[in-house]
Amino acid sequence: MTAKVLAYNKPRLEGILTVPGDKSISHRAVMFGAIAKGKTTVTGFLPGEDCLSTIDCFRKLGVDIQVDGTNVEINSPGMEGWQEPKEVLYTGNSGTTTRLMLGILAGTNFHSVMTGDASIGKRPMGRVTKPLKQMGALINGREGGQYTPLAIQGTKLKAIDYTMPVASAQVKSAILLAGLQAEGTTIVREKEVSRDHTELMLKQFGANIEVKDGVISIEGGQQLKGTHIDVPGDISSAAFFLVAGAIVPNSEVILKNVGINPTRAGIIEVMQQMGADLTIAQEKSDAAEPTATLTVRTSHLKGTTIEGEIIPRLIDEIPIIALLATQAEGTTIIRNAEELRVKETDRIEAVVTELKKLGADITATEDGMIINGPTSLKGAKLSTYGDHRIGMMAAIASLITESPVEIDDADCIAISYPTFFEHLDLLLK
């Protein structure tokens, strides 16, 4: 763990950035390229630790994957040509890898064991293993398959009709990937829409998948075909610089090629609600994943209420939205975000605890937080809890604190944004 002291002494931010590739899409590009027969090429890939964990898992299954910076080439024989792994599949800190791999491995013809780091060991896997077991999956692990490590004996699966109890793209994707191998047509019903990268990308790989009014249907027994995937910039990474541009005085930040998929772009809506000076120049709206150039300037912000259907569309951005709210006039209330309690850490407690150290007027609730502003923030020693998004929130906070901020484990930021501090330095004026 490398501690980092940040003392920016009232900077302003100005410049143009291209943020790293979308983490969710990078994971899926590798996974679907490995499932598909033939060659898949990926540009704009995020070479962060989480996505490299996904690559490592598929290499252990015998898939040829070459990485050159942000370019990846996958040559796969298709799932029937995979080998039983001789080693445990290690997923690191990646919930996406762990949960989606369960859906993929459940329908293979071999045995595999999967585990992750200490954080993954605490994250609930029962929400994935329960529907997969309904499909006939043979999965064992701690507390009846609730937690890693997990042992998966691949077997023949049968389709199910499943209503999602909570909005979760990871659970939905695991079921759809199992459904791809199952006998019959698998149906997933969503009460609230979660990010739809899996559905969009399956179509790019040639899958027959139907999405209508929150109901997703996929036929079993389909063979994906290798293709090319261009990964847009990650809006969850862009969010930190969007907030920085809005709260640091005399600033203007331009972010190019940011993915603005409507199931992910809740941060934009919230910033507009709060009065941020934010402009969107559309780029590729005809692509599978729409992108835009986002320009943000120092803004006079007002408090708002964030709740209901928008929450799944900004769940990863809530830590940085909380910091934004400390600089807004009035009260900001975040509700219906109890999912944050089972992320890399309990993000509600982590965000509230660390922002309080800086002098924020913030209170935790069971499913969110209440923030009163605007508040002048002071420096402090902050913990990241090994959570990349808490680490980046702390770094952005240090831009407006009256004294230095010390972050205990700055290295964890590399999980999703290896060049974060380089990019921050580019903007500092």
Side-chain angles (χ1 to χ4, degrees):
M1 294 203 310
T2 305
K4 196 175 182 77
V5 177
L6 304 174
Y8 290 113
N9 194 24
K10 300 198 187 313
R12 69 183 180 88
L13 303 178
E14 188 182 315
I16 301 171
L17 287 183
T18 301
V19 297
D22 188 285
K23 185 155 75 88
S24 296
I25 297 171
S26 294
H27 278 303
R28 287 161 172 79
V30 170
M31 291 177 178
F32 299 178
I35 292 168
K37 204 173 243 179
K39 181 165 91 169
T40 293
T41 53
V42 184
T43 51
F45 175 79
L46 170 67
E49 291 171 15
D50 274 12
C51 297
L52 295 176
S53 292
T54 294
I55 286 177
D56 181 61
C57 287
F58 283 102
R59 283 176 171 160
K60 286 175 179 169
L61 298 174
V63 180
D64 174 30
I65 305 177
Q66 304 298 321
V67 183
D68 179 11
T70 59
N71 297 316
V72 178
E73 185 177 299
I74 304 150
N75 289 286
S76 178
M79 292 182 75
E80 66 275 12
W82 291 357
Q83 305 158 8
E84 181 170 279
K86 295 182 175 66
E87 301 170 62
V88 170
L89 302 176
Y90 182 69
T91 61
N93 187 247
S94 178
T96 301
T97 309
T98 310
R99 291 189 173 126
L100 271 62
M101 287 296 290
L102 283 169
I104 294 168
L105 294 168
T108 62
N109 58 5
F110 52 73
H111 181 268
S112 49
V113 177
M114 187 165 54
T115 195
D117 67 6
S119 163
I120 286 294
K122 296 173 188 166
R123 296 180 71 178
M125 296 297 152
R127 54 176 61 184
V128 182
T129 59
K130 183 183 174 187
L132 292 179
K133 285 177 178 179
Q134 289 176 27
M135 299 177 80
L138 302 173
I139 301 169
N140 289 304
R142 286 189 302 124
E143 294 187 29
Q146 295 277 345
Y147 299 99
T148 59
L150 294 163
I152 306 103
Q153 175 58 59
T155 189
K156 290 189 184 301
L157 303 174
K158 59 183 185 297
I160 57 168
D161 187 325
Y162 189 73
T163 300
M164 295 284 292
V166 294
S168 169
Q170 293 178 356
V171 177
K172 171 178 67 174
S173 298
I175 297 167
L176 293 174
L177 290 168
L180 196 59
Q181 309 163 68
E183 187 183 318
T185 299
T186 293
I187 298 169
V188 178
R189 302 176 190 274
E190 290 192 292
K191 297 170 193 168
E192 289 178 327
V193 175
S194 62
R195 54 184 70 173
D196 65 354
H197 303 305
T198 292
E199 298 93 304
L200 293 174
M201 196 180 290
L202 279 170
K203 288 179 182 174
Q204 288 179 275
F205 277 90
N208 182 10
I209 180 169
E210 190 176 304
V211 183
K212 189 176 181 183
D213 300 328
V215 179
I216 307 137
S217 308
I218 189 162
E219 293 173 21
Q222 299 185 58
Q223 174 65 64
L224 303 185
K225 300 178 188 69
T227 188
H228 174 73
I229 300 292
D230 185 27
V231 181
D234 194 323
I235 194 164
S236 295
S237 296
F240 294 93
F241 290 113
L242 288 174
V243 168
I247 65 176
V248 175
N250 307 311
S251 294
E252 180 182 78
V253 175
I254 299 168
L255 304 171
K256 302 189 79 171
N257 191 41
V258 179
I260 55 164
N261 181 313
T263 65
R264 285 283 297 285
I267 176 78
I268 292 174
E269 292 172 42
V270 164
M271 289 187 72
Q272 288 172 331
Q273 245 173 263
M274 295 176 78
D277 184 352
L278 174 63
T279 56
I280 305 166
Q282 202 90 6
E283 287 174 7
K284 295 184 292 188
S285 58
D286 59 333
E289 295 280 353
T291 63
T293 293
L294 306 177
T295 302
V296 64
R297 299 174 189 85
T298 308
S299 308
H300 180 74
L301 302 161
K302 59 182 187 294
T304 190
T305 298
I306 306 164
E307 63 185 348
E309 64 80 29
I310 199 170
I311 293 292
R313 300 193 284 120
L314 47 65
I315 195 73
D316 285 334
E317 290 72 71
I318 286 177
I320 195 63
I321 289 171
L323 175 64
L324 180 74
T326 69
Q327 303 307 299
E329 199 172 302
T331 301
T332 295
I333 300 169
I334 300 171
R335 294 194 190 104
N336 312 126
E338 56 274 8
E339 187 69 12
L340 285 176
R341 293 198 179 273
V342 292
K343 296 297 251 181
E344 282 81 340
T345 184
D346 180 338
R347 280 190 181 152
I348 292 175
E349 283 305 320
V351 168
V352 170
T353 299
E354 300 314 302
L355 287 179
K356 270 186 175 173
K357 289 180 189 174
L358 299 177
D361 181 351
I362 180 169
T363 307
T365 63
E366 195 54 44
D367 65 345
M369 53 196 86
I370 300 166
I371 307 131
N372 295 304
T375 313
S376 293
L377 302 182
K378 59 183 191 293
K381 285 187 176 182
L382 299 184
S383 173
T384 65
Y385 307 81
D387 185 330
H388 52 126
R389 301 203 194 277
I390 303 296
M392 285 185 279
M393 179 196 76
I396 297 302
S398 72
L399 296 170
I400 58 168
T401 53
E402 292 164 7
S403 51
V405 168
E406 183 178 330
I407 303 174
D408 70 341
D409 178 15
D411 295 345
C412 71
I413 290 170
I415 286 167
S416 66
Y417 203 150
T419 55
F420 175 78
F421 287 108
E422 291 166 45
H423 282 184
L424 182 53
D425 287 344
L426 285 173
L427 295 177
L428 291 169
K429 298 295 182 239

